[in-house]
Amino acid sequence: MLCRTSLVWWRFFRRKIYPWTTLAIAAYKIPCACRLERTREIVRLMVALTRIDAVAVCEFLNDLLW
């Protein structure tokens, strides 16, 4: 039972952090990619930016400041 619960939490954690990891990897690959790969990485970066909930991030930063 504990193993199943751990897998559920791992899947939840992975789904929540997925846009951030994609954002980091794409930003890392853009400077060293060639023309077509660079375009793909830029598109991947833009898609990752749209998946991040900006309102939740702003609320979290506001809570940290106050």
Side-chain angles (χ1 to χ4, degrees), residues 18-39:
Y18 175 73
W20 294 100
T21 56
T22 305
L23 188 70
I25 292 170
Y28 175 74
K29 286 184 177 180
I30 286 174
C32 59
C34 68
R35 188 174 179 191
L36 182 60
E37 291 176 7
R38 182 175 294 145
T39 305

Side-chain angles (χ1 to χ4, degrees), residues 8 14 17 21 26-27 29 33 43 46-48 53 55 57 62-63:
V8 170
R14 192 178 67 203
I17 202 161
T21 56
K29 286 184 177 180
V43 169
M46 295 301 169
V47 169
D53 186 15
V55 175
V57 172
N62 192 21
D63 288 342

Side-chain angles (χ1 to χ4, degrees):
M1 186 69 172
L2 181 62
C3 180
R4 186 177 180 102
T5 305
S6 298
L7 291 174
V8 170
W9 280 108
W10 172 248
R11 183 179 294 155
F12 176 74
F13 176 72
R14 192 178 67 203
R15 290 192 71 192
K16 288 296 183 183
I17 202 161
Y18 175 73
W20 294 100
T21 56
T22 305
L23 188 70
I25 292 170
Y28 175 74
K29 286 184 177 180
I30 286 174
C32 59
C34 68
R35 188 174 179 191
L36 182 60
E37 291 176 7
R38 182 175 294 145
T39 305
R40 288 180 184 166
E41 292 301 324
I42 289 172
V43 169
R44 187 175 291 158
L45 182 75
M46 295 301 169
V47 169
L49 284 173
T50 60
R51 289 185 181 172
I52 294 174
D53 186 15
V55 175
V57 172
C58 288
E59 288 177 0
F60 175 70
L61 292 175
N62 192 21
D63 288 342
L64 286 178
L65 291 174
W66 302 106

